[in-house]
Amino acid sequence: MPKKTLPTQSEPVTTMAASVFKATCLEVMDNVAASGAEIIVTKHGRPVVRVLPVQESSKSPVGFMRGTVVRHGDIVSPDHSVWETSASDPLARRSS
C-alpha cells in the first residue's frame, strides 16, 4: 500500500500515542475544540487517526425553506360553494 502524506498546515501538527490519547481523551478533545489544533494519534509510530475540531458551516440562504410550503391547489379563483349567505347574515341583500 502506498504511503499517504498528510496535508501541511500552518500550525505544527501534534502526534500522540494511542495509549496516551486513551488516557486523556476528554481533555484532548477539549483542547482541540478550544485551540483548533490538529492531533494525530499513532499506534506503534504509525498514524492511525486525525483529531480535528468541527467546523460548523452556515446554511445557505438559497433553498433553506425547501419542502416547507404546502400547496392546496388554486388559491386565486373564488370558491363560491363556501361563501353562501345565510338568513342571519347582516350583509346579505334583503328583498323587500
Side-chain angles (χ1 to χ4, degrees):
M1 178 186 272
K3 192 172 188 176
K4 294 183 180 178
T5 58
L6 299 173
T8 58
Q9 302 252 340
S10 58
E11 299 176 13
V13 177
T14 305
T15 60
M16 177 180 293
S19 59
V20 176
F21 177 75
K22 183 177 177 183
T24 60
C25 178
L26 297 177
E27 181 183 344
V28 169
M29 289 192 308
D30 289 339
N31 290 340
V32 167
S35 68
E38 174 181 328
I39 295 180
I40 296 179
V41 180
T42 62
K43 272 183 148 179
H44 304 291
R46 187 177 51 105
V48 179
V49 295
R50 184 183 305 165
V51 181
L52 300 169
V54 175
Q55 295 178 352
E56 297 287 331
S57 62
S58 61
K59 292 191 175 189
S60 169
V62 178
F64 75 98
M65 291 193 65
R66 181 175 296 162
T68 61
V69 177
V70 179
R71 185 175 174 191
H72 291 287
D74 185 15
I75 61 170
V76 178
S77 300
D79 189 5
H80 294 291
S81 62
V82 175
W83 296 100
E84 293 178 10
T85 58
S86 67
S88 62
D89 186 3
L91 299 176
R93 289 187 182 167
R94 298 185 186 200
S95 56
S96 307

